[in-house]
Amino acid sequence: MEFQSVVMAAGRGSRMTDLTASIPKPLLPIGNRPMIWYPVNMLETAGFQEVIIIALESTSHDIRQALTALCDVKVSLDIVGIPDDADWGTADSLRHIKDKIQTDILVVSCDLVCNVPLHQLADIHRMHNSTLTMLLADLPQTTDSAAILKSKKIGNEQRDFIGLDGDGRRVVIMASEADLDDALTVRRSVLKRHPCVRIKTKLQDAHLFLLKKWVVDYLQQNRSVSTIKGELVPLLVRKQFSRRKKPDDVSKAGDLSMVSPPSTKEDNLDIHSFDEDDEMTVLTRSLSSGAGQRVDGTQDSTITCYTHIVTEGMCVRANTLPSYVEANKQILHELAGGDELLVHPSITTKGKYQIGPECMVGEGVSLGDKVTLKKSIIGKHCTIGDRVKITNSVIMNHVTIKDGSILQGCVVCDNAHMGDQCELKDSLVGSSQNIPSKAKYSNEVIVNEEQMLEV
Amino acid sequence: MAGRGRKKADIMEQEDVLQAVIIADSFDIRFAPITKDIPRALMPVANRPLLEYTLHFLVAAGIQEIFVFCCAHANKIIKYLNDTGWTSDKAPCQVTTQVSEDSLSPGDALRLIYDRSLIRTDFVLVMGDLVSTINLQPIIQQHKQRRLKDKVTVMTMLFREAAPRHHTRSSDDDVVLVTERDTNRVLHYQMVEGQSKLDLPLDLFSDQSDLDIRYNLLDCHVSVCSPQVPQLFADNFDYQTRNDFVRGILVHEEIMGNQVQAHVVTDEYAARVSSPPMYDAVSKDILQRWTYPLVPDNRLSSQEQEGFYTLRRHHVYRGRDVFLDHDSVLEENVVIGPGTRIGSHTTISNSVIGQNCVIGDNVCLKGVYLWDNVTVGSGCSLTQCIVCSGVTIADRVVVEPSCVLASNVVVGPDVHLPAGTRVSLHPMQTPGAEDDFQEPTETVQHQTYQPDRIGAEGKGYIWEGDDDQDSLVAAMWGLRLEQEDSSSEESEESSEEEDNLDEENSPPDDIRIFYTEVLDSMQRAIEENINADNLILEINSSKYAYNISMQELNVCVVRCVLESAHLRASLMATASEYLAALKPLLQPMKGLLKNYIRNSESQQDCLMALEEYFGTHLNISAVLVSVLNFLYNEDILEEDSILKWYRHTAPSSTVPHKAQQQVRTAATKFIQWLQEAEEESEEDYD
């Protein structure tokens, strides 16, 4: 077994609380399938036999249920629950399952909808023997469908600055805009070794990492790292350019007794000491004429970070409301070309109806007369009245929409009920909401009042 | 002379004439004392004057009109151009000289060119010390095309790809460039100057999503300029160099809308002979034929004789009528000028020997540049040095690397010149007056030669350094010169910004009253154990009452903390008593300090306050270390700020310079520790 796979599904969806208020994030439907099915399916396609899923204890049963019963997943699932009240980051979760990790690992977030063949990433990992290999994708172009709730500024503060070496494979700089004040600091030592660095800001981290096993051991020791994306990855990228410590220069800083000298690290353990070389590497180094050896006896860092950038195919992270809409849209687009049946045969219709090519209609839906659907997803057991027009929208399960309503660019959660002749544009309807007849909304979030406070 | 050959120009379409400006003055003293006698542009490189390479580069690019701007030794350059026929009608292009005796920088040169309205179209701007084989024509065409589409591009800068530490990369031009990926537009231009970290402003990334940070570029100082460039120089008197210009254009891009473009060449050659190490590097490249067709055995113009040099293997070029005793060996990369005589048992490698030199027996020359008419006696050993025309080196002289012997100097016999010695017939002047661009002044030779150092028959003064000069010698041969200019500029800029924040300066009385008020509040807070938040509230309200700037406030707060400790001990307290009084105060005041000292500017304010306080109370300056350490541990002061403060002494009105130095000396221990800790915690290469 070369890799073990871990799916991080314990996120609370804090960037789209309106959606996750009633449905746990991993189970939010995308293309009428729970979100978590996509990464699990990707791993299954890639040939994994077993998948470790880290989920909140309260949701782990539902996740197993959803994956095995509804989606017919065949890989063996090892769902590890973590306490609901522990506010753990992804690295904390990894630390939690340390004992299960025997090999290099593949970590993927449950909100990744991606059809990139994983072997491309694995090939880079093998070729460069990299410590960390990450998947990056171009940020989805904000199209008209993602216009939903545009007024809420999303996106800018999450921009990452990713510096790639000349051939675009090696990651040499990584910084998140949120962590920077007004300048991006570049070390000269980085530039000396990579004199032409390409900085991209419109790349999205897909949150899919291949990590060496020793990184998990390091996490075990260094408890200050709590998230993978936010802390571990920048740390590894930075450490590519530091040198291994000579054994004797640990804590030379003492000697200043007036006020206690600051300890430079929480853990005095050098990250490089975890990356032990196998015999072959040691032999190679001893035979080579000084490559990787410094005059002062220290060694070059053996940490390397590489990336694979998705240029074709689909790669969306559904972690915000716009990207959730975008993921749904892309799934429709992707499936429209395939031979999978998008309109469930069990729907009941009354009179004429029109369903566009990029539409998906779930089991047991009943459509009224002269219903028009364009680029939309209708969940299971919905009831759509006469002359309803739905465009660019996501309708979840058990929703009732009465006659003559028009929905454009909306997300409607489970069990919502909408009266006659409603007109909704670019809005979100929370679960079990009642929209009175002839209501008109544009660019609004309609949820329970106590949830409103959070917004 | 400026008007010569105008007839030809008038016939041609004015717009189509390609113009170029050569700045044939370096405006620096990197080649002192050689440049006392001869301008840099006329120094022979592989036995050809440097200016010749630059002119041929421009002629090859199809330039039709060249203005040679000269300042120091202008008459020599004019004479040279006349003698070689560049200014005659037979020359491949029209060359005119522009003389200015009082220009001090390339910026002045361009302002002069603007005043004389010489430029009519896009032109090429080069320095007079360039050796290049780049084909400029397509680059000029591209520049014109871009200008046709959009007038915003004012300059296309040429760069050659060269890895960091490439031998032709001068440490002066250690540049980091940020360019737009698709268009090669320059967005940011920064000199490295020995900094280990570079800060790229985030504004760069606001419009562009795909940028290159390039540290693998050698600045050729060749720029294709639009006609408005001289005008921009004229409008901005503070533009002294092209780098100032580029920086100015980039900073004001949003207002002025001007843009700068980069063009990167990969296979062609370009380098500037900007310093002695570069002289060495470029000469070697010429001998090894990287600069083909600009090599010694090629005839560049009809003025030069056919077959002047013959090329043998291992890059040995022999001129005509060279007499070489058969026991002597020319190892590799050697040029021997015509008429030179070389004695027996002599070995020469990696060297250039000028015309009509006489070299004795048993001589060893390694990496030596002998100009014309040099005599080297028997038994000499010379390594890596520049020996100018007419120098006589008597028998058994040993010259160590990095020496410079200026024109007509005599050394020896039997002396040993240690590394970095510079000898000239001109006595050294005070550093201030010693400028490359001044005509050599005939001073009365009241100084005497030093026979013990340059030999019994020696003629010449040794140029040696006080502190400044030492660093200059080091800089001459490639050791890094500490450059402080840029950072002091930075601090000026930041203080300007602060000034803008508070346009109305309240009279200093306000500050004093405010200060006593803060001090009172603070003492009361300490006595009554009042919460830091309340104290902050109190101070803030006083701030508005007295119209105090943030900077003054920061300084004031830090001062007050220090002062109140002083009041608690006694005004005459010793360092240890004071420390004892201060220690219990620091902890409760932590919150207060954290509230005010938040960014790098306020940290500088804080450090200024510390400096002023301990500068005025020098008897307790030992406490500074513990205060710094405390503030550092509490993350109030960052390492970078402390180091910045330590390195740059900002002029202060209240503290004399000497006291500032003493304060810094007091902090040395902490700084050392900090630097060590930095090395360890960052484990960084440099």
Side-chain angles (χ1 to χ4, degrees):
Chain A
M1 191 164 62
E2 191 184 1
F3 296 109
Q4 281 174 292
S5 59
V6 179
V7 179
M8 295 290 177
R12 287 177 172 78
S14 52
R15 276 175 282 193
M16 43 183 194
T17 44
D18 298 328
L19 282 174
T20 51
S22 53
I23 311 167
K25 181 179 167 189
L27 297 177
L28 275 178
I30 294 177
N32 281 350
R33 282 194 170 108
M35 188 186 274
I36 194 170
W37 178 80
Y38 291 94
V40 172
N41 179 54
M42 178 173 67
L43 295 170
E44 190 175 354
T45 318
F48 280 94
Q49 304 282 317
E50 192 195 43
V51 175
I52 303 170
I53 297 176
I54 298 176
L56 294 178
E57 256 163 12
S58 58
T59 59
S60 48
H61 175 76
D62 292 344
I63 289 175
R64 182 180 294 280
Q65 184 71 23
L67 284 175
T68 49
L70 301 173
C71 299
D72 196 23
V73 168
K74 296 208 173 53
V75 290
S76 89
L77 299 175
D78 180 0
I79 300 184
V80 181
I82 63 169
D84 280 34
D85 51 353
D87 194 14
W88 283 358
T90 41
D92 297 319
S93 307
L94 215 52
R95 206 172 284 137
H96 183 64
I97 57 156
K98 182 193 174 283
D99 295 337
K100 291 178 189 279
I101 307 291
Q102 313 295 328
T103 66
D104 293 356
I105 52 168
L106 185 152
V107 179
V108 58
S109 166
C110 70
D111 53 17
L112 178 68
V113 181
C114 174
N115 62 359
V116 176
L118 277 179
H119 71 83
Q120 294 180 352
L121 195 68
D123 284 348
I124 289 174
H125 191 75
R126 293 170 187 138
M127 187 157 68
H128 299 286
N129 193 23
S130 50
T131 311
L132 163 79
T133 313
M134 58 199 288
L135 188 70
L136 296 172
D138 289 322
L139 268 184
Q141 300 289 320
T142 32
T143 44
D144 46 345
S145 75
I148 182 163
L149 300 170
K150 225 182 209 167
S151 54
K152 280 190 175 181
K153 268 201 172 173
I154 304 167
N156 247 9
E157 75 275 11
Q158 311 169 355
R159 220 154 51 132
D160 285 324
F161 298 115
I162 297 169
L164 304 170
D165 187 23
D167 66 350
R169 287 259 180 87
R170 185 151 185 191
V171 184
V172 295
I173 296 169
M174 175 118 185
S176 168
E177 189 164 19
D179 299 338
L180 301 172
D181 292 334
D182 49 2
L184 173 69
T185 305
V186 181
R187 292 180 170 281
R188 193 153 66 108
S189 50
V190 176
L191 287 179
K192 266 190 191 150
R193 284 204 264 167
H194 300 279
C196 184
V197 178
R198 181 175 184 181
I199 299 265
K200 290 193 139 206
T201 55
K202 285 215 174 129
L203 281 178
Q204 186 197 29
D205 165 43
H207 215 290
L208 192 157
F209 306 106
L210 286 172
L211 290 167
K212 283 250 184 269
K213 181 185 180 296
W214 67 260
V215 178
V216 184
D217 299 334
Y218 172 73
L219 284 179
Q220 188 63 25
Q221 291 294 329
N222 191 339
R223 299 195 160 265
S224 61
V225 177
S226 84
T227 62
I228 296 180
K229 167 69 196 350
E231 294 168 49
L232 180 65
V233 172
L235 179 82
L236 289 174
V237 169
R238 210 168 53 236
K239 288 287 177 189
Q240 291 180 97
F241 302 99
S242 65
R243 75 188 93 164
R244 277 165 182 258
K245 264 188 192 167
K246 279 181 285 183
D248 58 325
D249 65 14
V250 184
S251 81
K252 208 163 59 180
D255 197 39
L256 194 86
S257 47
M258 302 195 65
V259 185
S260 65
S263 65
T264 45
K265 268 185 195 173
E266 281 105 327
D267 269 313
N268 268 325
L269 276 161
D270 184 14
I271 187 168
H272 297 291
S273 60
F274 287 92
D275 185 11
E276 280 164 19
D277 300 318
D278 55 40
E279 281 175 35
M280 206 54 173
T281 324
V282 175
L283 183 66
T284 317
R285 192 175 292 128
S286 69
L287 292 177
S288 85
S289 58
Q293 287 274 345
R294 307 276 303 175
V295 193
D296 52 2
T298 53
Q299 284 169 10
D300 265 352
S301 169
T302 47
I303 297 174
T304 49
C305 300
Y306 282 87
T307 181
H308 176 64
I309 298 178
V310 183
T311 45
E312 50 194 36
M314 179 181 59
C315 188
V316 191
R317 273 194 76 190
N319 56 355
T320 61
L321 189 50
S323 63
Y324 173 73
V325 176
E326 178 68 24
N328 275 297
K329 196 187 147 205
Q330 293 221 7
I331 278 292
L332 283 178
H333 188 75
E334 205 63 32
L335 293 179
D339 42 0
E340 201 177 333
L341 202 57
L342 296 186
V343 180
H344 203 270
S346 66
I347 61 168
T348 53
T349 54
K350 183 172 98 182
K352 279 185 179 175
Y353 63 93
Q354 196 183 356
I355 298 180
E358 290 184 14
C359 278
M360 192 176 225
V361 184
E363 190 183 336
V365 169
S366 87
L367 297 178
D369 192 23
K370 291 182 182 160
V371 165
T372 312
L373 302 179
K374 276 185 199 161
K375 295 189 177 178
S376 296
I377 299 177
I378 312 293
K380 288 164 198 170
H381 307 292
C382 290
T383 312
I384 313 284
D386 294 347
R387 299 179 309 283
V388 169
K389 277 189 182 175
I390 301 175
T391 319
N392 278 332
S393 298
V394 179
I395 314 292
M396 295 189 196
N397 302 333
H398 303 284
V399 173
T400 310
I401 300 171
K402 287 281 175 65
D403 298 353
S405 291
I406 299 174
L407 278 80
Q408 208 180 345
C410 293
V411 176
V412 182
C413 296
D414 287 351
N415 302 320
H417 186 277
M418 300 171 84
D420 293 338
Q421 291 165 14
C422 293
E423 280 185 39
L424 273 77
K425 199 173 173 232
D426 297 336
S427 295
L428 174 88
V429 180
S431 42
S432 313
Q433 290 296 303
N434 247 323
I435 306 287
S437 296
K438 295 185 181 166
K440 285 191 183 179
Y441 291 105
S442 176
N443 243 323
E444 275 184 73
V445 179
I446 304 131
V447 286
N448 281 337
E449 271 183 29
E450 69 258 35
Q451 287 171 23
M452 279 296 258
L453 291 175
E454 290 173 28
V455 181
Chain B
M1 74 232 122
R4 283 186 64 180
R6 266 288 145 83
K7 268 180 256 162
K8 226 165 46 175
D10 290 339
I11 299 164
M12 281 183 276
E13 274 288 323
Q14 293 228 322
E15 285 298 306
D16 292 343
V17 176
L18 278 176
Q19 295 180 305
V21 173
I22 301 177
I23 310 278
D25 198 319
S26 50
F27 302 107
D28 61 32
I29 50 167
R30 305 303 290 280
F31 278 100
I34 301 174
T35 42
K36 281 266 167 199
D37 304 303
I38 177 174
R40 187 191 286 185
L42 295 185
M43 291 194 326
V45 175
N47 287 348
R48 235 181 225 135
L50 201 38
L51 188 58
E52 200 75 8
Y53 292 97
T54 314
L55 286 166
H56 277 286
F57 162 66
L58 293 173
V59 169
I63 304 287
Q64 288 143 307
E65 189 173 4
I66 299 175
F67 300 105
V68 180
F69 181 91
C70 27
C71 185
H73 303 288
N75 48 355
K76 288 189 179 148
I77 294 175
I78 293 166
K79 182 168 181 300
Y80 172 80
L81 291 173
N82 287 336
D83 291 351
T84 47
W86 279 105
T87 45
S88 74
D89 290 343
K90 285 178 202 150
C93 66
Q94 188 191 344
V95 178
T96 49
T97 46
Q98 297 292 328
V99 183
S100 159
E101 297 289 349
D102 52 358
S103 293
L104 295 173
S105 69
D108 289 341
L110 280 161
R111 282 186 272 276
L112 188 94
I113 280 163
Y114 175 71
D115 287 343
R116 299 186 183 168
S117 37
L118 301 167
I119 297 301
R120 301 183 301 274
T121 153
D122 296 284
F123 68 102
V124 181
L125 176 67
V126 299
M127 298 300 282
D129 52 9
L130 177 80
V131 177
S132 171
T133 61
I134 295 173
N135 184 5
L136 263 185
Q137 239 153 4
I139 301 166
I140 298 173
Q141 285 313 319
Q142 280 175 24
H143 178 81
K144 288 193 164 173
Q145 299 268 316
R146 246 191 315 265
R147 298 265 304 156
L148 277 182
K149 261 187 266 164
D150 199 350
K151 287 276 184 200
V152 291
T153 308
V154 291
M155 186 183 266
T156 302
M157 294 199 281
L158 253 71
F159 294 92
R160 175 161 71 102
E161 216 169 72
R165 300 212 168 144
H166 187 274
H167 65 283
T168 52
R169 266 183 83 157
S170 158
S171 55
D172 297 340
D173 280 327
D174 218 10
V175 66
V176 169
L177 211 64
V178 180
T179 57
E180 201 177 32
R181 179 100 188 167
D182 303 328
T183 61
N184 258 343
R185 184 156 75 84
V186 178
L187 301 169
H188 187 72
Y189 181 90
Q190 191 171 4
M191 308 305 283
V192 178
E193 288 165 344
Q195 301 164 58
S196 64
K197 292 174 185 174
L198 298 165
D199 285 336
L200 305 177
L202 288 191
D203 312 344
L204 291 178
F205 305 95
S206 51
D207 299 331
Q208 281 80 21
S209 61
D210 202 351
L211 306 175
D212 279 330
I213 302 179
R214 307 201 62 164
Y215 188 48
N216 59 347
L217 298 179
L218 178 148
D219 193 344
C220 311
H221 281 261
V222 177
S223 354
V224 183
C225 304
S226 307
Q228 71 258 45
V229 168
Q231 189 187 350
L232 286 167
F233 269 97
D235 292 347
N236 297 279
F237 278 98
D238 53 332
Y239 291 172
Q240 291 304 319
T241 62
R242 200 200 58 173
N243 290 354
D244 290 343
F245 173 82
V246 172
R247 235 173 284 135
I249 292 290
L250 295 178
V251 167
H252 300 301
E253 190 184 316
E254 278 177 21
I255 310 162
M256 309 287 290
N258 292 327
Q259 295 180 352
V260 178
Q261 202 76 24
H263 186 98
V264 179
V265 295
T266 45
D267 352 335
E268 290 158 306
Y269 188 85
R272 274 185 66 201
V273 183
S274 54
S275 61
M278 291 297 112
Y279 183 88
D280 184 48
V282 173
S283 299
K284 291 219 169 84
D285 284 345
I286 293 174
L287 299 196
Q288 290 169 6
R289 306 180 83 73
W290 292 102
T291 59
Y292 190 86
L294 303 176
V295 289
D297 55 321
N298 253 7
R299 214 176 110 201
L300 296 184
S301 69
S302 53
Q303 294 286 320
E304 294 182 13
Q305 291 171 32
E306 187 82 53
F308 215 50
Y309 288 97
T310 49
L311 171 63
R312 316 258 170 113
R313 61 181 183 158
H314 305 306
H315 298 134
V316 172
Y317 304 81
R318 272 176 74 166
R320 280 186 184 168
D321 307 321
V322 167
F323 174 82
L324 179 70
D325 204 311
H326 57 256
D327 285 335
S328 290
V329 191
L330 305 179
E331 281 179 343
E332 52 172 0
N333 305 325
V334 178
V335 181
I336 310 288
T340 290
R341 302 178 64 82
I342 298 170
S344 58
H345 298 288
T346 288
T347 47
I348 303 177
S349 60
N350 299 313
S351 296
V352 177
I353 317 290
Q355 297 186 27
N356 303 320
C357 293
V358 179
I359 296 169
D361 303 335
N362 296 313
V363 173
C364 179
L365 303 179
K366 277 184 193 155
V368 173
Y369 299 93
L370 300 187
W371 296 4
D372 297 342
N373 306 315
V374 173
T375 307
V376 180
S378 296
C380 287
S381 170
L382 278 69
T383 319
Q384 212 183 7
C385 55
I386 300 177
V387 180
C388 300
S389 307
V391 170
T392 304
I393 298 174
D395 293 349
R396 294 172 303 280
V397 172
V398 178
V399 180
E400 285 190 4
S402 312
C403 287
V404 174
L405 303 179
S407 300
N408 301 321
V409 160
V410 181
V411 288
D414 299 295
V415 286
H416 181 108
L417 295 183
T421 311
R422 295 172 301 152
V423 187
S424 168
L425 282 186
H426 303 280
M428 211 173 106
Q429 293 162 357
T430 49
E434 170 206 313
D435 282 323
D436 189 4
F437 38 82
Q438 281 189 346
E439 288 293 315
T441 45
E442 297 303 322
T443 46
V444 189
Q445 299 207 343
H446 53 85
Q447 286 169 289
T448 49
Y449 304 135
Q450 292 172 289
D452 54 323
R453 295 177 68 181
I454 58 165
E457 296 164 19
K459 282 181 192 166
Y461 302 100
I462 291 186
W463 282 39
E464 55 202 325
D466 41 64
D467 292 346
D468 291 349
Q469 297 301 309
D470 271 343
S471 62
L472 190 96
V473 177
M476 281 177 79
W477 291 94
L479 298 169
R480 191 165 290 284
L481 178 66
E482 280 299 325
Q483 307 239 4
E484 309 215 354
D485 302 341
S486 69
S487 31
S488 61
E489 270 169 34
E490 272 168 33
S491 58
E492 272 168 32
E493 275 167 30
S494 58
S495 63
E496 266 172 28
E497 278 166 28
E498 280 155 20
D499 288 349
N500 293 343
L501 282 177
D502 312 277
E503 280 167 11
E504 293 167 286
N505 270 334
S506 49
D509 281 345
D510 270 9
I511 298 176
R512 209 175 310 133
I513 301 167
F514 174 68
Y515 178 74
T516 43
E517 201 147 304
V518 172
L519 192 61
D520 283 349
S521 317
M522 200 174 282
Q523 280 184 298
R524 204 170 57 249
I526 294 162
E527 277 157 27
E528 295 168 19
N529 223 347
I530 293 174
N531 195 336
D533 290 341
N534 294 338
L535 184 59
I536 291 166
L537 216 60
E538 208 163 315
I539 293 175
N540 280 349
S541 53
S542 319
K543 171 184 183 270
Y544 291 115
Y546 291 105
N547 194 12
I548 299 288
S549 76
M550 255 343 256
Q551 192 188 2
E552 287 158 353
L553 176 65
N554 294 334
V555 172
C556 200
V557 167
V558 177
R559 252 190 91 89
C560 285
V561 172
L562 297 171
E563 177 104 41
S564 43
H566 227 148
L567 294 172
R568 279 166 69 93
S570 74
L571 277 176
M572 299 310 292
T574 62
S576 55
E577 283 167 15
Y578 178 73
L579 181 63
L582 183 66
K583 260 191 174 167
L585 283 188
L586 285 175
Q587 209 56 34
M589 288 299 149
K590 190 175 78 184
L592 179 79
L593 291 171
K594 271 195 178 153
N595 181 62
Y596 289 109
I597 312 301
R598 272 187 291 212
N599 53 21
S600 57
E601 270 157 35
S602 56
Q603 288 178 23
Q604 287 302 321
D605 297 342
C606 171
L607 286 161
M608 277 298 287
L610 290 176
E611 178 182 313
E612 279 182 24
Y613 195 80
F614 287 107
T616 42
H617 301 86
L618 279 171
N619 57 328
I620 52 162
S621 58
V623 182
L624 178 63
V625 178
S626 20
V627 176
L628 283 177
N629 200 350
F630 173 82
L631 295 173
Y632 176 73
N633 280 344
E634 293 296 340
D635 288 332
I636 294 170
L637 290 181
E638 285 165 15
E639 186 179 306
D640 285 351
S641 299
I642 299 177
L643 291 177
K644 190 179 166 196
W645 164 79
Y646 183 71
R647 287 184 191 131
H648 305 294
T649 318
S652 158
S653 52
T654 49
V655 190
H657 186 71
K658 205 177 151 206
Q660 286 185 321
Q661 285 312 320
Q662 275 172 293
V663 170
R664 280 181 174 69
T665 321
T668 310
K669 195 174 164 194
F670 180 72
I671 302 289
Q672 271 169 1
W673 172 82
L674 205 59
Q675 278 163 342
E676 273 168 33
E678 179 188 30
E679 277 159 27
E680 279 187 16
S681 68
E682 302 194 346
E683 313 143 48
D684 208 331
Y685 288 123
D686 192 71

